[in-house]
C-alpha cells in the first residue's frame, strides 16, 4: 500500500513494526489469551438460554447476532489480529449464521417463530459496494493520480509559499496544508508525505530547541483534525453520514458540500487553536526556516487531465446540492476518466487501501444485521433510552467514543457505536430536538473519534510522527488531551447551536 506516495518508507516501517509486535514471541501467549477470552465469551453468549438475556421476544438469530457483535467488539479492542481481518471475518460469520443463506444445520429443527427474521445475504454482501465505499474509492483514485502527476508536490510547494520563512508561520503552514491534504487523501498517506517534506527542516533546527517537537506534532494533529472537514477525510465521517442519509432510517439527505459548510469552519478554528497550543508548548529558538520541497509536477497531457479532473471533482462535490449530482456518483467520475485515459493502470489499483474499505464494509454489515433481524428494535424496547437525559446521551456517547478511539481503530469505534446510536437516537428524536437532534449525536461520534490522538497507537499519523524520534509520548499525551477537551467542547457547542436553529 501507498508505494507511490511520498514517504512510503515511513508507512512501510510503521506496518513492519506493527507486524513485528504482533508476531513477537513474548506476545504469543498474550495473543492466545485474548483470542481464548474472546471466543469463549462469544460461545457462552451463543449457547446461553434465550431467557437469560431478559429481552422480550428475542429470537435465536438475534442471540447469534449478539454473540457476533460482542466477538467483533473484543477483537477490535484486543487487536489480536489486524482490525480489517476482523471485519472480513464478521461478514463471513453473518453470512453463515444469521442470513437467509446460513448453514443448513443452523436452521434445521427450529420453528420459524423461534428462529426469527434472517438477514438477506444480498444485503450483507451489498455492504462491499455501498455508495459510501464508492465515494472512498473515488477519493483513493484521486490521491493516486495526484501523486503520479506530481500534483501533490506542486500543491504543497504553492500552498506553503505564502507562509514565508518565519518559524511560527512555517508551523502554521504545515498545519493548514497537512489538514487540506487530509480532507481528500488518506490521513496516513498525508502524514507520511508531509513528514518527508519536513525531515530536512528538522535537521537544520537547533538540537536543544523545542520548535522541532512542535513541527513534528503538527503533522499528526493536522492530519487527524483536517480529516473531519469532508465526508471522505476519514472513515468515521462516512459511517456517520451513511446512517444520517439512510433512506430507510433518518433520511436527512446531508450532501458533501453541506457537510463541509458546517465542518470546515469548525476544522479551521480547531487548527488555529492547535497552532496556538503548539507555539506555547514548544517555542522556537530559531526564528527563520528555509523550506526545500523537492519534486516537480509533470506537464504531459495525462497530468493535465489529472489537474482538470481533480478540480472538477472537488467543485462538484462541494456543490452537489446545486448540481443535483450525488457526491457518491461524482466520485466515479475520476475513476472513469483516469482509467479510460490510462492515468490509472491495473497496477495502480493495488495502491487502493482495500483494508480500510473492508473495515468500513464490516461495520456496515453489522448495522444491516442489527436492523434486518429486529435486534435493534428489541434493544430499544429493552433499554429505556427515552427516559435518559438528552445531555447524558449526547455527551456520554462522545466521551465513550473518544476514550475507545484512543486505544482501538477510529473506524472500528465508529462502526460499533454509530449503528446503535442511530437506532437509539431515532427512538428519542423529540428529546434530542433541543440539543440539535440525532445529527448532534452521530456527527459528535465522528468528531470524538478524530480527536482521539493521545497515544502513538491512537492513529497511524501519530505513530509515524512518533517514529521520527522527535516526539516523546508525554508530549503527545499532553497535546492530545488538550486538543481532545477543546475540540469536543467546541464541536458539541457548534452542533447544538446549528442543530437547534435548524442550520444543520
Amino acid at each position: 500500500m501507498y508505494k507511490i506516495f511520498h514517504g512510503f518508507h515511513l508507512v512501510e516501517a510503521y506496518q513492519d513494526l506493527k507486524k513485528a509486535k504482533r508476531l513477537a514471541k513474548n506476545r504469543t501467549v498474550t495473543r492466545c489469551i485474548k483470542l481464548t477470552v474472546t471466543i469463549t465469551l462469544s460461545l457462552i453468549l451463543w449457547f446461553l438460554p434465550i431467557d437469560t438475556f431478559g429481552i422480550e421476544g428475542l429470537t435465536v438469530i438475534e442471540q447469534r447476532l449478539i454473540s457476533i457483535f460482542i466477538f467483533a467488539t473484543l477483537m477490535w479492542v484486543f487487536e489480536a489480529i489486524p482490525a480489517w481481518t476482523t471485519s472480513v471475518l464478521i461478514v463471513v460469520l453473518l453470512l453463515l449464521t444469521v442470513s437467509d443463506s446460513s448453514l443448513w444445520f443452523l436452521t434445521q429443527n427450529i420453528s420459524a417463530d423461534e428462529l426469527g427474521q434472517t438477514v438477506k445475504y444480498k444485503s450483507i454482501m451489498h455492504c462491499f459496494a455501498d455508495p459510501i465505499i464508492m465515494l472512498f474509492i473515488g477519493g483513493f483514485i484521486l490521491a493516486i493520480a495526484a501523486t503520479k502527476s506530481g500534483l501533490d508536490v506542486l500543491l504543497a510547494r504553492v500552498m506553503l509559499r505564502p507562509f514565508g520563512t518565519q518559524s511560527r508561520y512555517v508551523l502554521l503552514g504545515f498545519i493548514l496544508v497537512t489538514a487540506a491534504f487530509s480532507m481528500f487523501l488518506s490521513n496516513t498517506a498525508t502524514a507520511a508525505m508531509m513528514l518527508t517534506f519536513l525531515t530536512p527542516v528538522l535537521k537544520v533546527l537547533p538540537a536543544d530547541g523545542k520548535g522541532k517537537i512542535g513541527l513534528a506534532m503538527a503533522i499528526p494533529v493536522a492530519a487527524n483534525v483536517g480529516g473531519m472537514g469532508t465526508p471522505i477525510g476519514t472513515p468515521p465521517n462516512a459511517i456517520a453520514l451513511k446512517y444520517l442519509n439512510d433512506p430507510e432510517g433518518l433520511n436527512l439527505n446531508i450532501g458533501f458540500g453541506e457537510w463541509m459548510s458546517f465542518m470546515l469552519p469548525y476544522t479551521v478554528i480547531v487548527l488555529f487553536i492547535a497552532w496556538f497550543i503548539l507555539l506555547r508548548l514548544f517555542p522556537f529558538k530559531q526564528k527563520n526556516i528555509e523550506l526545500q520541497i523537492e519534486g516537480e509536477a509533470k506537464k504531459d497531457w495525462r497530468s493535465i487531465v489529472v489537474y482538470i479532473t481533480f478540480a472538477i471533482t472537488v467543485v462538484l462535490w462541494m456543490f452537489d446540492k446545486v448540481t443535483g449530482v450525488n457526491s457518491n456518483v461524482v466520485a466515479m467520475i475520476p475513476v472513469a476518466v483516469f482509467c479510460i485515459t490510462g492515468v490509472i493502470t491495473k497496477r495502480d489499483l493495488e495502491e487502493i487501501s482495500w483494508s480500510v474499505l473492508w473495515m468500513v464494509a464490516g461495520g456496515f454489515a453489522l448495522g444491516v444485521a442489527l436492523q434486518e433481524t429486529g435486534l435493534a428494535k428489541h434493544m430499544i424496547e429493552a433499554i429505556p433510552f427515552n427516559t435518559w437525559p438528552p445531555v447524558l446521551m449526547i455527551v456520554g456517547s462522545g466521551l465513550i467514543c473518544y476514550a475507545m478511539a484512543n486505544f482501538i481503530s477510529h473506524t472500528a469505534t465508529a462502526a460499533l457505536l454509530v449503528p446503535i446510536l442511530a437506532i437509539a437516537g431515532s427512538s428519542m428524536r423529540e428529546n434530542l430536538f433541543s440539543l440539535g437532534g440525532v445529527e448532534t449525536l452521530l456527527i459528535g461520534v465522528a468528531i470524538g473519534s478524530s480527536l482521539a490522538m493521545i497515544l502513538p497507537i491512537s492513529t497511524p499519523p501519530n505513530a509515524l510522527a512518533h517514529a521520527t524520534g522527535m516526539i516523546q509520548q508525554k508530549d503527545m499525551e499532553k497535546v492530545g488531551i488538550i486538543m481532545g477537551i477543546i475540540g469536543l467542547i467546541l464541536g458539541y457547542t457548534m452542533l447544538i447551536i446549528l442543530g437547534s436553529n435548524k442550520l444543520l
Side-chain angles (χ1 to χ4, degrees):
M1 292 305 303
Y2 305 117
K3 289 181 181 177
I4 66 171
F5 289 100
H6 298 280
F8 165 71
H9 64 285
L10 296 175
V11 182
E12 192 174 41
Y14 164 62
Q15 297 295 348
D16 288 343
L17 179 62
K18 285 184 66 177
K19 185 176 180 180
K21 286 183 177 180
R22 284 198 305 270
L23 298 178
K25 290 182 179 180
N26 60 351
R27 293 197 62 188
T28 302
V29 175
T30 304
R31 290 178 66 224
C32 289
I33 292 173
K34 289 177 178 178
L35 287 170
T36 302
V37 169
T38 301
I39 294 170
T40 301
L41 184 56
S42 301
L43 288 175
I44 290 173
L45 292 171
W46 184 286
F47 290 110
L48 273 177
I50 287 182
D51 295 341
T52 309
F53 291 88
I55 301 176
E56 188 177 349
L58 192 71
T59 65
V60 171
I61 289 292
E62 292 172 15
Q63 180 180 1
R64 292 173 186 172
L65 183 54
I66 291 173
S67 174
I68 293 172
F69 187 89
I70 296 301
F71 174 81
T73 303
L74 293 177
M75 290 295 282
W76 277 330
V77 169
F78 290 152
E79 286 193 312
I81 60 175
W84 66 270
T85 309
T86 298
S87 288
V88 175
L89 181 57
I90 291 166
V91 172
V92 174
L93 287 173
L94 292 173
L95 288 169
L96 294 179
T97 62
V98 302
S99 78
D100 55 7
S101 186
S102 299
L103 294 167
W104 79 96
F105 60 83
L106 293 176
T107 57
Q108 284 182 337
N109 304 319
I110 304 176
S111 66
D113 289 340
E114 186 182 355
L115 182 65
Q117 180 63 50
T118 57
V119 187
K120 299 182 185 68
Y121 80 90
K122 290 184 179 179
S123 297
I124 296 175
M125 300 188 82
H126 282 168
C127 292
F128 283 106
D130 187 277
I132 292 294
I133 299 293
M134 297 301 108
L135 182 64
F136 267 106
I137 288 177
F140 287 139
I141 291 292
L142 273 181
I144 293 168
T147 299
K148 288 187 70 176
S149 64
L151 178 60
D152 54 354
V153 175
L154 175 64
L155 288 174
R157 185 183 295 113
V158 171
M159 293 167 73
L160 283 169
R161 187 175 298 147
F163 295 94
T165 60
Q166 287 190 45
S167 301
R168 61 192 296 112
Y169 294 117
V170 170
L171 174 64
L172 177 62
F174 269 99
I175 289 174
L176 296 180
V177 173
T178 300
F181 275 118
S182 69
M183 292 179 190
F184 298 96
L185 276 67
S186 152
N187 288 356
T188 307
T190 297
M193 177 180 71
M194 296 305 291
L195 282 168
T196 301
F197 295 155
L198 189 61
T199 299
V201 176
L202 296 175
K203 289 180 179 177
V204 301
L205 290 176
D208 58 344
K210 291 185 176 181
K212 58 170 58 181
I213 301 175
L215 275 170
M217 273 300 308
I219 303 303
V221 169
N224 293 323
V225 173
M228 293 189 283
T230 67
I232 63 170
T234 177
N237 292 5
I239 293 172
L241 197 61
K242 173 186 169 60
Y243 287 93
L244 288 169
N245 290 344
D246 185 1
E248 297 180 4
L250 297 171
N251 196 27
L252 296 178
N253 194 29
I254 297 175
F256 195 105
E258 197 171 350
W259 177 283
M260 290 187 68
S261 69
F262 57 82
M263 286 303 293
L264 188 57
Y266 164 74
T267 299
V268 171
I269 292 171
V270 174
L271 290 171
F272 273 95
I273 291 173
W275 178 48
F276 175 78
I277 290 170
L278 291 175
L279 283 176
R280 295 282 294 181
L281 293 178
F282 312 109
F284 286 91
K285 274 192 171 183
Q286 186 170 316
K287 299 303 179 184
N288 290 285
I289 298 174
E290 292 293 337
L291 290 178
Q292 291 184 349
I293 298 178
E294 298 180 356
E296 293 291 336
K298 298 178 182 178
K299 298 179 180 179
D300 57 275
W301 69 270
R302 283 193 175 91
S303 298
I304 302 300
V305 169
V306 172
Y307 305 155
I308 295 173
T309 306
F310 194 102
I312 291 174
T313 301
V314 172
V315 169
L316 288 175
W317 268 336
M318 294 177 66
F319 297 98
D320 54 348
K321 286 298 183 73
V322 177
T323 63
V325 183
N326 187 279
S327 58
N328 304 320
V329 175
V330 172
M332 298 308 294
I333 294 175
V335 177
V337 172
F338 295 156
C339 289
I340 290 172
T341 56
V343 171
I344 296 295
T345 65
K346 180 174 66 175
R347 183 73 63 183
D348 293 326
L349 295 178
E350 297 174 4
E351 301 298 326
I352 291 178
S353 188
W354 296 106
S355 61
V356 171
L357 299 180
W358 287 352
M359 181 79 184
V360 173
F364 288 170
L366 270 179
V368 167
L370 284 169
Q371 289 280 11
E372 290 199 10
T373 61
L375 178 59
K377 181 181 177 183
H378 284 141
M379 288 174 63
I380 297 304
E381 293 171 350
I383 305 172
F385 287 110
N386 283 317
T387 64
W388 290 17
V391 173
L392 174 63
M393 185 74 176
I394 289 177
V395 177
S397 62
L399 291 175
I400 290 171
C401 173
Y402 175 75
M404 288 178 60
N406 271 300
F407 298 96
I408 69 173
S409 158
H410 292 185
T411 307
T413 302
L416 287 171
L417 294 180
V418 172
I420 297 173
L421 291 175
I423 299 158
S426 298
S427 72
M428 53 185 298
R429 271 186 166 180
E430 292 183 5
N431 293 9
L432 295 174
F433 184 81
S434 62
L435 294 177
V438 188
E439 300 94 306
T440 302
L441 191 65
L442 299 192
I443 297 174
V445 170
I447 290 175
S449 63
S450 292
L451 289 172
M453 47 181 154
I454 293 177
L455 304 170
I457 63 167
S458 298
T459 151
N462 279 26
L464 293 175
H466 187 261
T468 62
M470 299 292 175
I471 306 171
Q472 294 185 19
Q473 184 164 320
K474 64 178 182 180
D475 295 324
M476 188 168 283
E477 290 172 354
K478 188 188 302 181
V479 173
I481 291 171
I482 295 173
M483 290 302 302
I485 293 171
I486 294 175
L488 286 170
I489 293 173
L490 186 62
Y492 276 112
T493 302
M494 174 201 71
L495 290 173
I496 290 170
I497 292 174
L498 292 179
S500 58
N501 288 285
K502 291 303 165 190
L503 299 174
L504 194 61

